[in-house]
Amino acid sequence: MLKLFTISCPCHFGLEAPLKREIYDLGYEVTEVTDGRVTFTGDAEAICRANINLRTAERVLIEVGRFRATTFEELFQGIKSLDWENYIPVDGKFWVTKATSVKSKLFSLTDIQSIAKKAMVERMKSHYDIQWFDEDGSDYPVRIFLMNDNVIVTLDSTGTPLHKRGYRTYTSKAPLSETMAAALIQLTPWHPDRILVDPFCGSGTFLIEAALMAAHIAPGLNREFTSMDWNNLIPQKLWRECFDEARAEVDTSVECDLQGYDIDPEMVKIARLNAKQAGVDHMIHFQQRDVADLSHPKKYGFILTNPPYGERLEDKRDLPAIYGKLGAAFKKLETWSMFVITSYEDAPKAIGRKADKNRKIYNGMIKTRFYQFLGPKPPKKD
């Protein structure tokens, strides 16, 4: 009988909708959406396909169990009652790599981690009938989440987080993560047949992610995952088939118009290098250019950008002028739409136009807004 798992994917707060859509597009049924997490049901193949293909998830976690705990004794017994032997082999290396606690009576993370490890050992000692585990096999990292005294216990099938695609060797001062960039693109109506410009392109993340989407290059195609060594749960053959499936989708001959500008020539150089690492440098045009010089003859284009936030006090003074230049350039592009992510609260005022929509999104610990300035829709093609 096919073993089914409850698979849980964390994402940036406020970006659950694009992840949910991606999971549906892979062919799986979403069972739960909570703040910063989307959960679905799938088999071993789903674990492989989710890791390789999801652009907006941070990790692919397998739920081992859920229970309530308000005392460390309840936590110990709850974790001991889970069927760890069905997930971790006798030689597996297992530890609680991370615990988080929100609005829960148990909040000492180091205590949660050590008590959970002891409970896992006790369970597996009685099952495998041994007193000592060498833990010299594959890694089985555990992640535990407490929210309102409800405990979710998971195995991390990903390892290095999914935003590490492998192409971004160099970054700008305030880089946007690859997963967030991909999610924000998916929140716009952009399609590869429409021009996309980033006038503050930094290390090129928006445009590289757009190129990967246009060319159907799966974000996890050129990296490895912790669960590739889980021979007890996922046969190697399955991984090979899922990678082959993803490779068969790639089409780097697709034509699209992606343009990135930055005032800093060093950033332009870095963006080009990153695009080359991602295998999409032939699809993107990068150029040193001030935002004030932004203009384009094409109609119905998109600006998608992450301008400076002014996190340092001395930089804040420059923000009205920077956003003012962006607004002035956008005003001349009468048929275009613009999407801006920033923590600068006066952005619409400085741009000189009220946003048609805005969405609150957390970029790490920074509360940002995704402002959407919508232009007219292009006429329908015959």
Side-chain angles (χ1 to χ4, degrees), residues 120-139:
M120 290 167 70
V121 169
E122 285 304 309
R123 168 77 185 211
M124 289 167 68
K125 264 170 40 176
S126 61
H127 179 81
Y128 289 118
D129 199 23
I130 56 172
Q131 292 303 303
W132 179 259
F133 293 92
D134 289 326
E135 299 193 48
D136 53 3
S138 302
D139 289 353

Side-chain angles (χ1 to χ4, degrees), residues 244-285:
D244 287 345
E245 175 193 56
R247 276 189 207 100
E249 291 289 313
V250 175
D251 177 13
T252 52
S253 67
V254 65
E255 284 190 25
C256 52
D257 196 343
L258 303 169
Q259 301 188 17
Y261 310 129
D262 205 285
I263 198 165
D264 182 350
E266 199 53 40
M267 286 322 306
V268 173
K269 208 183 292 180
I270 283 169
R272 284 189 185 127
L273 280 170
N274 289 337
K276 193 169 187 198
Q277 297 260 64
V280 293
D281 50 319
H282 63 292
M283 296 172 68
I284 310 170
H285 171 71

Side-chain angles (χ1 to χ4, degrees), residues 98-358:
K98 190 170 184 190
T100 56
S101 176
V102 180
K103 298 177 184 168
S104 296
K105 290 186 179 66
L106 303 179
F107 54 83
S108 167
L109 304 182
T110 50
D111 286 334
I112 291 165
Q113 286 171 288
S114 62
I115 285 164
K117 169 78 180 193
K118 280 177 195 158
M120 290 167 70
V121 169
E122 285 304 309
R123 168 77 185 211
M124 289 167 68
K125 264 170 40 176
S126 61
H127 179 81
Y128 289 118
D129 199 23
I130 56 172
Q131 292 303 303
W132 179 259
F133 293 92
D134 289 326
E135 299 193 48
D136 53 3
S138 302
D139 289 353
Y140 290 81
V142 174
R143 288 178 170 254
I144 297 176
F145 305 87
L146 281 86
M147 169 70 89
N148 296 323
D149 301 324
N150 293 307
V151 186
I152 302 177
V153 185
T154 68
L155 270 180
D156 180 5
S157 77
T158 301
T160 304
L162 290 176
H163 73 259
K164 304 261 188 183
R165 317 281 208 226
Y167 68 73
R168 201 163 73 171
T169 317
Y170 311 95
T171 61
S172 52
K173 267 188 290 190
L176 201 64
S177 82
E178 294 86 332
T179 45
M180 182 177 244
L184 293 176
I185 293 166
Q186 290 180 30
L187 286 176
T188 76
W190 175 77
H191 284 284
D193 62 349
R194 305 268 293 276
I195 180 173
L196 182 67
V197 174
D198 182 353
F200 300 95
C201 72
S203 52
T205 311
F206 268 138
L207 297 159
I208 294 168
E209 288 295 320
L212 292 173
M213 287 179 196
H216 298 289
I217 299 172
L221 200 52
N222 299 309
R223 52 157 291 173
E224 294 181 341
F225 309 97
T226 297
S227 50
M228 288 171 78
D229 294 327
W230 293 358
N231 296 325
N232 61 319
L233 293 175
I234 307 172
Q236 286 297 312
K237 181 173 174 276
L238 213 48
W239 279 108
R240 284 195 297 274
E241 287 170 359
C242 291
F243 274 112
D244 287 345
E245 175 193 56
R247 276 189 207 100
E249 291 289 313
V250 175
D251 177 13
T252 52
S253 67
V254 65
E255 284 190 25
C256 52
D257 196 343
L258 303 169
Q259 301 188 17
Y261 310 129
D262 205 285
I263 198 165
D264 182 350
E266 199 53 40
M267 286 322 306
V268 173
K269 208 183 292 180
I270 283 169
R272 284 189 185 127
L273 280 170
N274 289 337
K276 193 169 187 198
Q277 297 260 64
V280 293
D281 50 319
H282 63 292
M283 296 172 68
I284 310 170
H285 171 71
F286 289 111
Q287 188 183 342
Q288 183 192 353
R289 191 191 278 194
D290 189 296
V291 66
D293 301 326
L294 174 61
S295 64
H296 211 282
K298 279 191 180 177
K299 291 187 169 187
Y300 304 107
F302 289 93
I303 295 169
L304 175 59
T305 194
N306 175 36
Y309 293 0
E311 287 309 302
R312 293 181 312 175
L313 215 55
E314 60 269 31
D315 297 337
K316 271 203 165 44
R317 295 186 210 107
D318 302 332
L319 293 184
I322 291 170
Y323 283 77
K325 281 187 199 175
L326 176 62
F330 175 52
K331 196 174 181 183
K332 290 180 205 158
L333 297 163
E334 292 174 5
T335 60
W336 284 46
S337 296
M338 181 165 74
F339 301 83
V340 179
I341 181 162
T342 180
S343 66
Y344 177 43
E345 290 182 1
D346 289 332
K349 186 180 166 189
I351 286 167
R353 177 176 157 179
K354 189 174 183 288
D356 296 291
K357 293 180 182 176
N358 83 70

